[in-house]
Amino acid sequence: MCVTEELISDAPGYRLRDKSGKRVPEICTRMPWPARAVDADGCVVNNDCTMAHKLSDKKLAVLGTGKLGGILLRAYLKQGLFTAKHVTATVKHAEKAAALGKELGVALTTENRKAARGADIVLLCVKPQVVGEVLKEIAPELSEKTLVISVAASVPTSYIEQHLGEKVPVVRVMPNTCSAVGCGMTGICRGAHAGAEHLETARAMFDSVGRTVVVDEKNMDAVTGLSASGPAFAYIILESLAEAGVKVGLPRDVSTLLAAQTMKGAASVVLETGDHPALLKDAVTTPAGCTIDGILELEEGKLRVTLIKAVVKATHRAGELLFEK
């Protein structure tokens, strides 16, 4: 039986505690803020479990089951968010459709219109350059009762709405590949015809693979440049730290472990405490210690400005993808 608990918001992303002050398990903090319930094991189960139950009865069409589409679909099936018998997915080539269908236990086809027929939710995972073509293909199968969720970078909700013709509710999302291990970050915005319930559905789907944040659509390219491209930037930093460990005598496997866990730990401290990264940096940097010497090298190498420029460049690029052929 679920018991409603007092929820305390004291950091970005919200840290949750029960009435005794006990922390709710971290995995539960990925859920939206509104009132929730906590079961005997300390897991938040109220709103999101209700939504998960609702989604399990919905028919889902995943159009474009490539890398990201495959990550999301596998997560949904593994967690029981959607049932395999209610899922239809598409891939470009028939051979892949057969293999993937056998692996996932869902209906696979190469025909987008066929997959979208009768779907309650259409998850659009195709490349930005072909979105217009796919929308034209599936438009006859959609209605005002169909929710279209697009993960296509650069494609505004207005573009999708115009191509569908009807007042179809559209939600635009931008997840990242860390969703594969349940640590994804997804930016979400809604179109002109999408209501609060559509936004709630999208959040439930992407909270299941990480964290979500709702933003104005004007900021979606920035989300793409920061959190969608960001893992690649982080991997370069991680790789460089590991190489540095090898340089100073550590075995490569040990060095990589030290670098990866250090980056994961540092990010977790920011999320858990809500403290500014600069404040946390200062806490590590003792007077005349070794850390300040390392920071001096980073500043001389312009790491800070280079990372800023990388995000700015990726953001600008995100706004161009739709218009390329």
Side-chain angles (χ1 to χ4, degrees), residues 62-291:
V62 181
L63 307 187
T65 316
K67 186 169 187 179
L68 187 54
I71 285 173
L72 295 173
L73 181 53
R74 285 181 176 86
Y76 298 154
L77 294 173
K78 183 178 181 180
Q79 297 181 28
L81 202 62
F82 294 93
T83 56
K85 66 180 180 180
H86 291 154
V87 176
T88 304
T90 69
V91 292
K92 193 172 183 179
H93 303 291
E95 318 84 69
K96 185 175 179 181
L100 198 58
K102 185 176 181 180
E103 176 197 342
L104 301 179
V106 303
L108 258 293
T109 177
T110 58
E111 301 176 37
N112 292 315
R113 181 170 180 174
K114 180 180 178 181
R117 187 173 300 142
D120 298 301
I121 302 171
V122 173
L123 185 60
L124 198 60
C125 299
V126 298
K127 294 180 179 179
Q129 297 88 342
V130 300
V131 165
E133 176 185 331
V134 172
L135 292 175
K136 183 178 180 181
E137 184 181 355
I138 67 173
E141 305 297 337
L142 308 185
S143 71
E144 296 179 15
K145 296 181 179 180
T146 312
L147 172 58
V148 175
I149 301 177
S150 170
V151 304
S154 183
V155 183
T157 55
S158 58
Y159 179 92
I160 298 173
E161 291 162 351
Q162 289 166 10
H163 279 69
L164 293 179
E166 298 287 338
K167 292 185 177 180
V168 177
V170 176
V171 174
R172 178 181 172 188
V173 302
M174 180 44 60
N176 63 20
T177 55
C178 301
S179 300
V181 292
C183 289
M185 185 66 237
T186 303
I188 301 178
C189 71
R190 65 183 179 185
H193 309 306
E197 69 278 12
H198 302 117
L199 199 62
E200 182 185 5
T201 296
R203 291 201 69 168
M205 289 173 64
F206 288 89
D207 278 331
S208 72
V209 292
R211 296 174 183 250
T212 61
V213 60
V214 177
V215 300
D216 292 334
E217 184 154 22
K218 65 182 181 181
N219 293 322
M220 284 298 284
D221 286 344
V223 170
T224 304
L226 177 54
S227 62
S229 298
F233 307 153
Y235 295 142
I236 290 174
I237 295 171
L238 197 160
E239 181 185 27
S240 299
L241 290 173
E243 292 288 350
V246 173
K247 172 65 176 174
V248 294
L250 293 170
R252 184 170 296 278
D253 58 341
V254 173
S255 187
T256 300
L257 174 61
L258 289 168
Q261 182 62 25
T262 298
M263 287 190 67
K264 179 181 180 181
S268 295
V269 171
V270 173
L271 293 172
E272 290 291 322
T273 66
D275 290 340
H276 193 284
L279 180 64
L280 297 171
K281 175 208 66 179
D282 290 348
V284 180
T285 311
T286 55
C290 55
T291 304

